[in-house]
Amino acid sequence: MAETPNFRLGQRLSYSRALCTVRYIGPIDGTSGTWLGVEWDDPLRGKHSGSYNEKSYFTTQVPNAASFIRPTRKPDPTTTFLEALRKKYGDGKGDELVWEGGRPIALTATKVFEEVGFEKIAKRWAMLGELKAVLLDGWKIEGVESIEEIKETCPNIEELDLSRNLLPLSAITTICLALPSLHYLRLNGLRFDSLNIPPYTTSPFHKITHLELSSTLLTPAELSTLLPHFPSLQILSLTHNLLTTLPPLPFPPTITALDLSSNLLTTLSSISTLSTTLPNLSYLSLSHNLLTSLSLPANTTFPHLRRLDISYNRISSFQELDHLLPPTFPILANLRIGHNTLTDGMKKEDAWATMVARVARNVTVLNLSKIETREREDAEVWYLGRIAREIGEAGGEDVIRSVVRKHGRWVELCQLHGTPVIPTPEEAAKEGNTLRAHFLKLDFVRDGRTLEKMVPPSIPVSMLRRLVARWFSMEVLRVGMKCELRQHDMDDDDEDGEDGDGEVKGAVTGRDGEGVVVLESVDDTREIGVVLEELKGRGRVWVEEIQRCL
């Protein structure tokens, strides 16, 4: 395959700001002249995978990301690191100024300018030496200046974004050698033709603690070559890299956060080696993959993992959550599992309660929401009852083992809340099978506006009052509530609002002949389910603003 004087295989080019890599140089059957076969970084620009008339000339990393173009088509002009830096953060004119005699002068932040007219430029470019965060994403940077010139111009850079440029790894190495304070490096969207780094006494990347390599399409083998050069790495992003598995890699053991989102991982076991290669891992993101299973090899444990994101996958069974219990994840505290198919067809409150009850108690934040103590207890008790109904429907005690195997927390929850009574198949069929059946159904009405709410019977009246104040934008102390009980939901012999012992639950009045429970005490700690124990169907709560004497 002959190369033209201006192009070479693996070369990075930009056409109309769209980046590509040269994969082929040569003739194409049925045409005249020489062609460039390129693979576009944006696959939507491609037309095929390197073939023409059913003949393959090269292959692409991403299907249908290639096209053929003529070498006569001019690519976008490129620039260098310091040219881009000066254009964006300096005077916008580049790095060359001309004397009257026509001799160009290269300026740096540390040079002293004594000629008339250069004072303002000197001050402006001196600011480059103070820059700490530099973003040069998409500037078509292809080359770099010397280490000395970079040191003189911008020695204090701590955070650098070189994403979506045309730089080879050798040029990035030069830049890092010149920036002693650099610790945050973004290289997203780059393509590396070579990963060879000359041997140094100290790695050019030894101070990098945060590295982003998203959309680089690096393979596990290439990562094995590159990662050992980053011995101090703490945070690593490898998103959008078409990864299907992660074999044991020489990860720096200092890594505490790893982002593998938007890859092609299908099972949690495909990354199980991270439990040994990353002993200090505390955050792991696997969102937007193709996960269907969360099972892991026996004795796998992530002892320090506190945050796990497996949202936007294809997990279809709640039983998969059992794989996230201790001892595999002993201190997992924050879990995201939303936008999977395991909750399809379920009512929102049922799905939430099931997730809360099935995850370990050390999980305090679920899908970005804090799990309250009472909320967890209610969900666990309801979930125990649901398991008991499942056992009952299956035929009773003799099938308890097969059912319990599907519910990893059964033993733990029975120890916490007591073993529930197993109903007979007939009893189980009569009981409701949704969380909605165990909540109070209340319509809150104020000034013609009605809010339908499902209220846990265990919350105190005072908490309900605070919720109502928030729903209707009222002051808590001015919230008055009267719960209207439907006549067909009340006992015929107990219409005055007294219980069996004659205790008055609230001041009972009437509204068009119907009983109304007036909730007056602002600090009432009684559970709403006890106060409204006569309410078995849907109730209506009239909300009004009242004046209180303080």
Side-chain angles (χ1 to χ4, degrees), residues 167-189:
L167 288 164
L169 185 59
S170 57
I172 296 170
T173 301
T174 299
I175 294 173
C176 291
L177 286 170
L179 302 177
S181 300
L182 184 65
H183 63 83
Y184 193 143
L185 182 61
R186 295 190 183 98
L187 303 177
N188 302 320

Side-chain angles (χ1 to χ4, degrees), residues 324 331-335 356 359-366 371 376:
L324 305 182
I331 63 170
L332 183 64
N334 189 319
L335 174 65
V356 170
V359 299
R361 281 204 159 192
N362 44 268
V363 176
T364 57
V365 178
L366 180 63
I371 303 175
R376 185 191 297 276

Side-chain angles (χ1 to χ4, degrees), residues 302-321:
F302 290 83
H304 299 291
L305 194 72
R306 298 188 59 85
R307 298 173 58 199
L308 176 64
D309 187 350
I310 49 177
S311 59
Y312 293 94
N313 276 283
R314 299 179 180 180
I315 302 167
S316 60
S317 171
F318 279 106
Q319 194 171 347
E320 294 296 328
L321 298 184

Side-chain angles (χ1 to χ4, degrees), residues 33 65 104 110 113 142 175 201 266 278 321 365 403 450 467 516:
T110 56
F113 302 95
E142 185 180 35
I175 294 173
T201 304
T266 59
L278 293 178
L321 298 184
V365 178
V403 173
T450 301
L467 290 173
V516 176

Side-chain angles (χ1 to χ4, degrees), residues 27-38:
I28 297 177
D29 291 351
T31 68
S32 61
T34 300
W35 291 85
L36 297 181
V38 300

Side-chain angles (χ1 to χ4, degrees), residues 94-290:
D95 67 340
E96 289 192 350
L97 295 176
V98 181
W99 291 78
E100 288 185 5
R103 180 166 57 90
I105 303 175
L107 305 182
T108 67
T110 56
K111 285 185 177 179
V112 178
F113 302 95
E114 299 178 354
E115 300 298 326
V116 177
F118 282 86
E119 289 84 355
K120 291 183 179 180
I121 297 176
K123 291 180 180 179
R124 196 177 301 153
W125 283 14
M127 294 177 62
L128 298 179
E130 302 174 5
L131 289 174
K132 293 183 181 295
V134 171
L135 281 69
L136 296 175
D137 184 341
W139 272 77
K140 300 186 290 293
I141 302 172
E142 185 180 35
V144 294
E145 290 76 7
S146 67
I147 294 176
E148 291 72 20
E149 189 173 355
I150 296 174
K151 280 184 177 180
E152 290 179 345
T153 305
C154 49
N156 294 315
I157 294 178
E158 299 176 0
E159 178 179 343
L160 179 61
D161 188 349
L162 295 173
S163 302
R164 283 164 281 277
N165 280 291
L166 308 172
L167 288 164
L169 185 59
S170 57
I172 296 170
T173 301
T174 299
I175 294 173
C176 291
L177 286 170
L179 302 177
S181 300
L182 184 65
H183 63 83
Y184 193 143
L185 182 61
R186 295 190 183 98
L187 303 177
N188 302 320
L190 299 188
R191 299 288 192 272
F192 300 118
D193 184 34
S194 171
L195 296 177
N196 292 328
I197 298 176
Y200 293 94
T201 304
T202 302
S203 169
F205 310 106
H206 75 284
K207 288 190 176 181
I208 302 297
T209 60
H210 191 147
L211 176 64
E212 295 184 12
L213 292 171
S214 299
S215 300
T216 56
L217 303 186
L218 289 170
T219 65
E222 291 170 329
L223 289 172
S224 294
T225 300
L226 184 62
L227 290 176
H229 295 284
F230 294 83
S232 303
L233 203 57
Q234 297 177 14
I235 301 174
L236 175 62
S237 176
L238 295 174
T239 69
H240 295 277
N241 278 317
L242 306 182
L243 295 172
T244 58
T245 186
L246 270 188
L249 296 178
F251 285 109
T254 52
I255 291 179
T256 59
L258 177 62
D259 190 349
L260 293 172
S261 59
S262 300
N263 280 288
L264 303 177
L265 302 168
T266 59
T267 64
L268 203 58
S269 60
S270 63
I271 53 95
S272 62
T273 57
L274 296 179
S275 64
T276 54
T277 56
L278 293 178
N280 298 306
L281 190 65
S282 63
Y283 170 78
L284 175 62
S285 176
L286 299 169
S287 67
H288 294 88
N289 272 275
L290 306 175

Side-chain angles (χ1 to χ4, degrees), residues 19-60:
L19 305 184
C20 64
T21 304
V22 177
R23 301 293 188 198
Y24 172 81
I25 304 173
I28 297 177
D29 291 351
T31 68
S32 61
T34 300
W35 291 85
L36 297 181
V38 300
E39 179 177 1
W40 299 99
D41 289 10
D42 180 4
L44 296 179
R45 291 184 61 95
K47 300 178 180 179
H48 49 77
S49 298
S51 61
Y52 180 75
N53 284 343
E54 299 183 354
K55 179 178 179 179
S56 178
Y57 292 88
F58 64 97
T59 58
T60 59

